[in-house]
Amino acid sequence: MALGAVAEPPVRRRGSDYAQLSRRITQAGLLERRPGWYVARIVLTLGAFVAGWVAVFLLGDSWWQLPLAAVLAVATTQVAFLGHDAGHRQMFRRRGPSEMVGLFAGNLAVGLSYGWWVDKHNRHHANPNHEDEDPDVGAGALVWTPEQALETRGFGRWLAKRQAYLFFPMLLLEGLNLHVSSIRAIVGREPDGRYRTPMRHRAVEGLLLVVHTVGYVALLLAVMSPVKALLFAVVHQALWGLYMGCSFAPNHKGMPMPTAEDELDFLRKQVLTSRNVRGGRFVDTALGGLNYQIEHHLFPNMPRANLRRAQPIVRAYCVEQDIPYAETGLIESYRQALGHLHEVGRPLRG
């Protein structure tokens, strides 16, 4: 260094910040599996799910089936949360048992392709809220950036103008969308004949979806009239889609959306794009642990039961590193998400 030159501050290797946090989490034992907790969770969740369908069979041709359909929508979403945990290997370290639970919970019980969801969800985790990389914020029925809004035409443009007001009603169709997307993922091919969606057990997934659909329709028609069966399916699928959408909406919607120009390390990429939701044990159960979205994105394979214990460690570390840590109540999280959707549509209303 030249005499009299000002000493520059040491270069901070930001890539090591996550490693330091990971050591703290590991030392606290929060990445250890929780087999007892998951056995209890699986037994209770599947028990409630099976009990609901037994009640459908016993109740018969009654209009009380419609309230029961709403109860089963809750049970179905809780089963889907088990599939989510299995997909992240929170239950088991080995792939085989994780896939077995995922295929059972997703394809057979819920009617959702486990392989399609894992592929889509992994891409989301790799680049959350990145317009070009995250499939959850790609332009579709909803748009997430003003640029996407300006590219809409016809009915899509009409929808984009009003999407904040239509968001929750549109979630009533999310269950149908998930079923259709699952089928398309299994059979969809590129022009050259290759399958669009990578999937390890394509034939098994297809077979389980067929079994699910045939069993679902057969049971409803066996115990109630066609009209009641149709109404049951509409209520069940609509409320399942609404519940699923309401569980995922608070996590990233309305949070920063990084672009290719942003140079964010893994720690900041995950924290800055995620939002936690307060609310205690009830919210923990209702949202399947997804209310600890920051901790879940930083440690996707952390057992759900440990996320609550990891939160104070992660939050304190973010304070040390001067990283904004977003946390709000459930209603406020929806307000922020809807506010973002409304703002995105502003160029079309102006």
Side-chain angles (χ1 to χ4, degrees):
M1 180 184 298
L3 185 61
V6 178
E8 296 183 359
V11 177
R12 188 182 194 183
R13 296 189 301 174
R14 297 176 69 182
S16 65
D17 292 344
Y18 176 73
Q20 295 177 32
L21 174 61
S22 183
R23 281 194 292 271
R24 296 186 188 183
I25 292 294
T26 302
Q27 289 169 0
L30 297 178
L31 295 180
E32 297 297 324
R33 295 295 173 266
R34 298 285 298 274
W37 188 91
Y38 268 114
V39 167
R41 177 65 60 177
I42 290 172
V43 169
L44 290 174
T45 302
L46 292 184
F49 181 75
V50 172
W53 285 109
V54 170
V56 169
F57 180 79
L58 296 177
L59 193 56
D61 191 26
S62 167
W63 288 109
W64 285 106
Q65 292 282 12
L66 299 187
L68 184 54
V71 174
L72 264 171
V74 175
T76 301
T77 306
Q78 290 293 324
V79 172
F81 288 154
L82 291 179
H84 170 269
D85 292 4
H88 284 296
R89 299 196 195 178
Q90 296 176 13
M91 300 178 181
F92 315 100
R93 294 188 184 278
R94 293 174 52 216
R95 171 183 286 173
S98 298
E99 289 183 339
M100 186 178 301
V101 172
L103 290 170
F104 178 85
N107 295 66
L108 185 60
V110 176
L112 172 68
S113 168
Y114 174 74
W116 164 72
W117 176 84
V118 167
D119 173 71
K120 178 176 178 288
H121 199 60
N122 284 345
R123 287 185 284 130
H124 157 70
H125 266 262
N127 292 286
N129 258 22
H130 192 294
E131 181 182 357
D132 298 324
E133 305 291 341
D134 183 355
D136 288 353
V137 293
L142 298 170
V143 291
W144 308 102
T145 67
E147 292 75 19
Q148 290 178 353
L150 290 172
E151 292 175 358
T152 58
R153 296 293 182 271
F155 178 70
R157 174 159 291 209
W158 181 90
L159 197 63
K161 289 181 182 180
R162 303 162 176 83
Q163 60 180 6
Y165 300 102
L166 298 174
F167 177 71
F168 288 111
M170 289 173 66
L171 288 182
L172 295 171
L173 298 174
E174 179 61 14
L176 177 62
N177 174 57
L178 292 173
H179 291 311
V180 172
S181 296
S182 296
I183 296 171
R184 292 176 62 185
I186 291 175
V187 303
R189 294 177 182 264
E190 300 288 356
D192 61 5
R194 293 179 302 163
Y195 286 107
R196 290 194 183 96
T197 304
M199 204 172 293
R200 285 172 51 83
H201 307 289
R202 191 176 305 275
V204 173
E205 292 217 24
L207 176 61
L208 290 177
L209 284 183
V210 170
V211 172
H212 166 86
T213 304
V214 172
Y216 185 90
V217 173
L219 175 60
L220 295 188
L221 291 178
V223 300
M224 62 187 88
S225 69
V227 172
K228 290 190 181 73
L230 177 60
L231 291 175
F232 179 98
V234 169
V235 172
H236 178 220
Q237 297 299 321
L239 294 183
W240 171 57
L242 178 66
Y243 188 0
M244 288 283 284
C246 288
S247 300
F248 286 93
N251 303 340
H252 303 280
K253 306 304 181 266
M255 297 302 292
M257 298 184 66
T259 65
E261 288 75 31
D262 296 308
E263 297 183 1
L264 298 175
D265 65 324
F266 179 80
L267 175 65
R268 287 160 182 81
K269 180 192 297 185
Q270 303 299 335
V271 174
L272 295 177
T273 60
S274 302
R275 177 195 295 112
N276 275 16
V277 176
R278 293 188 294 266
R281 300 285 184 179
F282 174 79
V283 171
D284 291 1
T285 301
L287 298 185
L290 298 177
N291 49 313
Y292 300 108
Q293 192 66 194
I294 294 173
E295 289 71 28
H296 171 58
H297 262 257
L298 290 171
F299 304 97
N301 64 340
M302 179 182 290
R304 191 196 311 179
N306 289 346
L307 292 170
R308 168 182 283 271
R309 295 167 55 200
Q311 185 188 31
I313 299 175
V314 173
R315 183 167 47 197
Y317 188 74
C318 287
V319 171
E320 291 177 22
Q321 301 297 321
D322 196 26
I323 301 174
Y325 183 98
E327 185 179 24
T328 185
L330 183 61
I331 302 302
E332 174 62 18
S333 73
Y334 291 136
R335 190 198 67 77
Q336 293 179 15
L338 294 177
H340 173 73
L341 289 174
H342 189 66
E343 185 64 25
V344 165
R346 182 182 297 275
L348 304 182
R349 298 189 299 274

